[in-house]
Amino acid sequence: MKKLICALIALVLCLGTLSGCHGTKRQKAFEIPEEFDSEKQYTITFWAKNDNNTVQQEIYKNTVASFEELYPNIKVELKLYSDYGLIYNDVITNISTGTTPNVCITYPDHIATYMTGDDTVVPLDALMADEKFGLGGSEVRFEAPKKDEIIGKYLEEGVIGGVQYAIPFMRSSEACYINKDLVEKLGFTLPETLTWDFVWEVSEKAMEKDAEGNFLVNGQKVLIPFIYKSTDNMMIQILRQQGAAYSTEEGEIGLFNDTAKEFLFEIAEHTASGAFSTFKISSYPGNFLNAGQCIFAIDSTAGATWMGAHSPQGDIHEDRKVEFETAVMAIPQFDTENPSMISQGPSVCVFNKPDNGEVLASWLFAQYLLTNDIQIAYSQTEGYVPVTAKAQNDPVYVDYLSREGEDNDLYYDVKIKATKLAIEYTDKSFVTPVFNGSASLRNAAGQLIEEVAKATRRNKTVDDAFIENLYGEMTSLYRLDGIGGGQSGRAELGELPSTAVMLLSVIGAAWVFIGVYLLIGYLKKRKNQGNT
Amino acid sequence: MKKILALLMVLCMAVSLFACAEKFDPAKKSEGVMTYAEYDAAALDAEVVIEAYVQATQSWWDNKITAYLQDPDGAYFCYEMACSEEDAAKLTQGTKIKVTGFKAAWAGEVEIVDCSFEFVESEKWVAEATDVTALLGTDELIKHQNKFVTFKGLTVVGVEYKNGEPGDDVYVTVSKDGAEYSFCIEIYLTGADTDVYKAVGELQAGDTVDVDGFLYWYEGVNTHITNIVKK
C-alpha cells in the first residue's frame, strides 16, 4: 500500500514538474539601454498595411531605405498587407512562437489582444520621454517630432490601461460621399449638416420606378440609394450620437440596448424598401456611387480616391462611370449642434524581444514614421491626416491642402475635401474604449446590422423576439459574456494560462494524496493500538 | 449436364448483376434538391439547396471554406461554407456535396452564402474546361459564371501584385480583340508556392497565353486563374 501511495505521489510530482516546464519562458520586460550599439547589426521586421495603393507601397519602401541610410547597422524587413485583419491574425499566430514582428501597423483594439501575452508589447511612455532616444531625443539621427507636437487626441488613442502602447501613424474618419445631382433631381437641397432623417427621406424617395422597372432618378435598373461600408462604425456612431451605451472603459458591454434595437428596426425598414444596403451584402459603395447607382456612400476618408466621377482609382469599367458632382460631408447626425464621428486610422506598436538593443532599434524606426516627409507623403495618398502638428503646419502640407481640385491625382478634390473634413472634426471625433475583447465587440456591433439587413432581405420577420434572439446569438458568437465590468479583475488579469491551471491542480492533488496517506497511517496505527 | 447447368447459372447471375448496376449519372439530384435551372431561376436572397461536385476549394480558415462546385448543367460558388477542418480535408476534387444556403450577388458574382453542406455518397465527377474564348466581351459569357473554363490565345497586358510584391493576390490584365479583361490569381485558391503563381510572375506584357480557371465575377469577368501556359 505504502509503495502504491509513494508511486502515486511521485507520479503526481513528476507531472507537476513536467507541466511547469511546458510553458514558454517568460519574456523579460524591456529596459532602455544606456547606449545604442552602432557596431552591432540588427534586423528588424516591419509589418505594414496599405490600401491596395501602389504609392503607399512605394512610400513604405522609401521609408525603409532612408532609415537604413541613417542607421546602417539596422536592416528593416518590410512585409506588406492590404488588410488589418490579416496582420492581426498573423501577429496572434506568431505570439505563441515568439516570432512577432518588431514594429507593426495596427489598431489599438488589436493591441489589447496582443497584450494577453506577457510583456509582448513594449510600453512606450519611458521610450517617448527618454532624453537620448525619445521623441526628438538628443541621439536620434533625424528630426523627430517632440511629444507635444503629436496631436494630443490622437496620441491618447494609443493609451491602454493608462499606458501608452501605440503611437498614431495616420488618422482618418468617415465621410458621406454624395451624388449631389441626384439629391437635387429628387427635389432636395443638401443641408449644412447631414441628418439621418434627411438621408432616409431622400433614399426612400429615390426608390420610385417607371413602368419598365427603371428607377426614375437614375434611369437604371440598379439603385441602392444608401450604402454603408463599415457597419461596425455605423452602429458605434449612432449609439454615441444618441448618448446610448456601447461599452465602458472597463469593458462592461452596453451594446445590446433599446437604442440599438430601435435603430435596427429602422435598418430593417429601409432594407425592405431597397433603400439601404451594406458593403458586405452588395459590394463597395464607391463602385455603385461612380456608376450613378448610389446617392449616399459612407466610407473612410482614407477611401476618398475611389469616390467620385473622376476618381483616380476604381474597380468599374470606364464606360460604366457617370458624370456627377460629388459632395463630401460629415456622416449623418442626430444632433446637428453636437456632431460626432469616429476617429480611426493606423497606429504603430513595438513588440518586445530578448535583446533590448533590438527593441531600441525598433523604436527608432517607429519614431521615424512620424517625421514630416513620411507623414506628409503618406497622408497625401488618401484622405489621411498627418498625426503631428509639425507636419500639419509644414508649408509643404499647407500648400497641398490649398490646391484642391488642381488635378485628379495628387490634388484630387474629393480626397482633399475628405482630408479637410477629418481635420475639421478632430475635436468632435471619438474612439471606443480598448480592452481585451473590444475587437470582438466591434465585430458584433456591425454584425447586428448585417444580420438584420440579411434577414429582412430573406423575408424574415424582424421584431422584438428576433432582436432579442440576435442579441443572444451575437453574445455567444463573439464570446461577449466572458468579458465585462462586472468581472473587472478577470478583465485586467485575463484567464489563468492552462499550464498554471494544470500545475495548481497537480499540487492540489498531491496534497490530497498526502492527506489520504497520513489518514490511512493514522487509522492503521489506531487499529493496531486497539488490537493490543 | 450438371456442368452445363452450373455454367448457365453463373452466366445468368453475371447478366443480372450487370443489369442491376446503375449507370453513373453525374446530373442526378437527391429528393428536394434544386436542378441548376431551378437554382438559376431562384430569386436573390432565396434559400437554395443544391448538389454538385467540388472542383476546388480555397484555404480553410476559422471553420469556414469557400468552394467552387459544378455539375453537368452549371456551376456554383459557395462562399465561406461552415466547415470543420476535418471535413475540409475531405472536400477533394470530384466529391459530391449537398449545400444549403442563400443565393446572393456581390459585385456581380452570384454565389451561395451563409451555407452549410453535407457529403453525398457518389462517384466522383470532375468538369472538363469549357472553352469560352469566343464569348469574351459578349453577354453570353456570364451564363457560364463559376464554371471551370479555358481561354485560348490571350495577350498579357500587365501583371500587378496586390501588395506590390509576391505574397498576396495577383492581378493579371489580358486582352483579346482589343478589349482588356482583369483576371486574378486568388492567393487562397492558388498560393504563392504553386506553379501557376510562379508562372504568372514570369509573364511579360505581350506574351500570348492560354488560361484555365474558374469564371468568377467582380464588376465584370474576373477569372480565378488555376493554370496558365505561355505560347
Side-chain angles (χ1 to χ4, degrees):
Chain A
M1 183 64 182
K2 271 183 188 174
K3 278 181 183 172
L4 179 65
I5 290 171
C6 285
L8 277 170
I9 292 172
L11 179 67
V12 162
L13 291 173
C14 283
L15 278 172
T17 313
L18 286 171
S19 67
C21 289
H22 183 68
T24 50
K25 193 179 171 185
R26 186 179 169 83
Q27 183 149 263
K28 70 179 175 64
F30 167 69
E31 289 174 16
I32 304 173
E34 277 298 309
E35 301 297 333
F36 178 63
D37 187 350
S38 299
E39 301 303 314
K40 187 172 176 182
Q41 286 296 318
Y42 294 102
T43 298
I44 62 170
T45 46
F46 173 41
W47 291 4
K49 188 259 178 186
N50 72 91
D51 308 305
N52 274 352
N53 184 316
T54 52
V55 182
Q56 291 173 351
Q57 292 157 9
E58 283 309 305
I59 290 170
Y60 279 130
K61 286 172 187 168
N62 293 339
T63 300
V64 167
S66 56
F67 180 78
E68 287 176 345
E69 273 182 32
L70 289 165
Y71 291 92
N73 65 320
I74 305 176
K75 178 172 170 46
V76 182
E77 289 181 347
L78 173 67
K79 188 173 179 187
L80 289 166
Y81 291 80
S82 56
D83 189 305
Y84 288 108
L86 294 177
I87 298 184
Y88 175 72
N89 289 339
D90 273 7
V91 170
I92 293 292
T93 308
N94 281 277
I95 284 176
S96 58
T97 51
T99 48
T100 54
N102 293 86
V103 182
C104 181
I105 295 280
T106 188
Y107 269 163
D109 271 336
H110 294 169
I111 297 173
T113 310
Y114 304 158
M115 283 165 52
T116 49
D118 57 5
D119 289 311
T120 307
V121 185
V122 176
L124 301 176
D125 299 272
L127 269 169
M128 290 196 301
D130 189 76
E131 276 187 22
K132 289 182 182 171
F133 306 109
L135 289 164
S138 59
E139 295 192 22
V140 173
R141 298 180 194 168
F142 48 84
E143 198 182 329
K146 303 233 175 340
K147 187 180 176 185
D148 60 6
E149 288 176 313
I150 302 176
I151 306 293
K153 199 173 174 68
Y154 299 157
L155 195 58
E156 278 170 28
E157 293 168 12
V159 175
I160 303 170
V163 179
Q164 190 85 45
Y165 278 105
I167 51 173
F169 174 52
M170 285 289 131
R171 279 297 172 268
S172 60
S173 187
E174 281 188 331
C176 188
Y177 303 91
I178 306 166
N179 184 326
K180 193 180 172 192
D181 296 358
L182 293 186
V183 172
E184 291 176 352
K185 193 173 174 186
L186 288 163
F188 295 90
T189 303
L190 285 172
E192 195 174 320
T193 304
L194 211 54
T195 63
W196 290 99
D197 284 345
F198 180 83
V199 170
W200 293 132
E201 188 183 358
V202 175
S203 299
E204 289 297 341
K205 173 82 174 162
M207 296 310 293
E208 293 173 4
K209 291 180 181 174
D210 64 16
E212 281 78 45
N214 296 307
F215 290 93
L216 291 175
V217 71
N218 69 350
Q220 299 189 45
K221 293 273 189 222
V222 177
L223 176 70
I224 307 174
F226 182 20
I227 307 177
Y228 216 112
K229 168 80 186 305
S230 165
T231 42
D232 41 5
N233 278 347
M234 185 185 200
M235 178 56 86
I236 287 166
Q237 288 172 122
I238 71 100
L239 292 176
R240 176 76 168 213
Q241 289 176 3
Q242 295 182 97
Y246 172 67
S247 78
T248 63
E249 295 292 334
E250 291 73 33
E252 191 175 354
I253 309 296
L255 166 66
F256 305 111
N257 57 53
D258 287 345
T259 308
K261 188 199 283 185
E262 287 307 311
F263 188 70
L264 291 171
F265 287 145
E266 201 156 17
I267 290 291
E269 179 192 337
H270 299 296
T271 302
S273 68
F276 172 76
S277 191
T278 71
F279 157 73
K280 282 189 181 171
I281 290 173
S282 296
S283 183
Y284 290 95
N287 291 346
F288 286 91
L289 181 79
N290 298 352
Q293 297 170 341
C294 173
I295 301 174
F296 303 102
I298 297 189
D299 204 330
S300 171
T301 61
T305 62
W306 300 78
M307 301 291 183
H310 305 284
S311 62
Q313 302 200 75
D315 280 336
I316 63 169
H317 202 273
E318 281 299 315
D319 61 13
R320 284 185 56 204
K321 279 189 165 187
V322 297
E323 193 62 39
F324 64 95
E325 183 182 343
T326 311
V328 183
M329 296 184 75
I331 62 156
Q333 303 290 323
F334 286 100
D335 179 358
T336 55
E337 297 301 311
N338 298 292
S340 72
M341 54 207 282
I342 206 152
S343 172
Q344 56 186 12
S347 293
V348 179
C349 68
V350 175
F351 285 92
N352 198 12
K353 299 289 170 187
D355 182 346
N356 286 337
E358 185 180 331
V359 176
L360 183 56
S362 310
W363 160 247
L364 289 169
F365 180 73
Q367 190 180 168
Y368 188 61
L369 296 172
L370 299 180
T371 54
N372 276 14
D373 285 353
I374 294 156
Q375 282 290 305
I376 293 169
Y378 200 93
S379 69
Q380 289 175 341
T381 62
E382 270 296 353
Y384 279 123
V385 177
V387 297
T388 69
K390 193 182 174 79
Q392 286 189 13
N393 297 327
D394 189 304
V396 173
Y397 189 69
V398 173
D399 175 66
Y400 160 74
L401 289 183
S402 73
R403 299 173 69 176
E404 174 188 316
E406 280 191 15
D407 63 26
N408 287 327
D409 190 14
L410 180 62
Y411 303 113
Y412 180 51
D413 62 345
V414 172
K415 178 185 66 168
I416 294 184
K417 278 177 186 163
T419 307
K420 287 177 177 171
L421 182 80
I423 293 171
E424 182 191 340
Y425 278 80
T426 300
D427 291 337
K428 298 172 186 74
S429 66
F430 69 94
V431 291
T432 49
V434 173
F435 50 88
N436 185 11
S438 58
S440 296
L441 179 61
R442 164 174 271 277
N443 290 338
Q447 203 57 30
L448 289 175
I449 293 173
E450 302 291 349
E451 292 297 328
V452 164
K454 280 195 289 189
T456 306
R457 293 168 68 100
R458 294 169 189 172
N459 296 321
K460 290 182 183 167
T461 304
V462 175
D463 54 12
D464 280 328
F466 177 92
I467 300 291
E468 287 309 315
N469 185 52
L470 180 62
Y471 281 1
E473 281 181 5
M474 293 299 109
T475 301
S476 169
L477 180 66
Y478 293 101
R479 299 186 180 98
L480 298 177
D481 43 5
I483 53 176
Q487 305 160 54
S488 57
R490 192 176 170 191
E492 283 164 22
L493 300 172
E495 297 280 357
L496 274 176
S498 57
T499 47
V501 172
M502 188 185 285
L503 183 60
L504 287 172
S505 307
V506 164
I507 290 170
W511 279 109
V512 169
F513 279 126
I514 290 167
V516 169
Y517 173 73
L518 290 174
L519 183 67
I520 290 168
Y522 171 74
L523 290 173
K524 271 188 177 174
K525 200 174 174 184
R526 272 192 69 178
K527 194 179 172 186
N528 288 340
Q529 280 173 349
N531 288 341
T532 56
Chain B
M1 186 62 184
K2 275 181 186 174
K3 280 180 183 174
I4 293 169
L5 277 174
L7 271 169
L8 275 171
M9 280 174 73
V10 167
L11 191 64
C12 285
M13 279 176 72
V15 168
S16 61
L17 270 175
F18 182 75
C20 287
E22 200 177 337
K23 194 183 171 196
F24 172 58
D25 175 10
K28 191 181 173 192
K29 308 286 180 189
S30 306
E31 186 74 25
V33 171
M34 292 172 152
T35 62
Y36 182 80
E38 288 167 335
Y39 166 78
D40 191 40
L44 290 178
D45 300 307
E47 187 167 13
V48 292
V49 184
I50 62 106
E51 271 179 4
Y53 303 83
V54 175
Q55 303 304 305
T57 58
Q58 294 185 8
S59 318
W60 175 88
W61 171 253
D62 196 21
N63 286 319
K64 285 176 274 196
I65 196 161
T66 294
Y68 304 80
L69 308 185
Q70 194 163 333
D71 65 25
D73 300 316
Y76 315 80
F77 184 74
C78 299
Y79 181 69
E80 294 195 339
M81 284 193 302
C83 179
S84 69
E85 190 168 16
E86 190 186 357
D87 281 347
K90 297 177 196 162
L91 288 175
T92 52
Q93 192 182 34
T95 304
K96 190 173 188 180
I97 59 172
K98 176 181 173 182
V99 179
T100 304
F102 292 88
K103 190 173 172 182
W106 198 87
E109 168 68 16
V110 176
E111 57 194 13
I112 303 175
V113 299
D114 295 330
C115 48
S116 57
F117 76 94
E118 56 191 84
F119 291 100
V120 177
E121 205 161 302
S122 164
E123 283 184 41
K124 293 199 173 207
W125 182 81
V126 177
E128 295 275 327
T130 307
D131 190 337
V132 290
T133 314
L135 304 181
L136 266 173
T138 72
D139 292 341
E140 287 295 302
L141 185 63
I142 200 165
K143 293 178 183 169
H144 295 270
Q145 195 179 69
N146 299 324
K147 277 187 188 172
F148 183 55
V149 296
T150 188
F151 297 94
K152 306 288 185 194
L154 304 181
T155 305
V156 175
V157 176
V159 174
E160 184 187 342
Y161 290 103
K162 182 178 179 181
N163 265 340
E165 60 189 21
D168 206 325
D169 293 348
V170 191
Y171 304 133
V172 185
T173 306
V174 292
S175 71
K176 181 76 178 169
D177 302 329
E180 291 187 0
Y181 306 93
S182 182
F183 287 6
C184 176
I185 292 278
E186 163 61 57
I187 190 81
Y188 295 130
L189 173 64
T190 47
D193 56 346
T194 59
D195 290 342
V196 65
Y197 195 100
K198 291 168 195 161
V200 159
E202 289 164 9
L203 292 175
Q204 301 292 324
D207 286 346
T208 301
V209 289
D210 291 346
V211 176
D212 295 337
F214 294 101
L215 199 65
Y216 186 79
W217 222 257
Y218 175 72
E219 303 294 357
V221 61
N222 184 235
T223 308
H224 286 176
I225 302 168
T226 56
N227 188 39
I228 199 157
V229 178
K230 187 177 160 185
K231 306 303 283 182

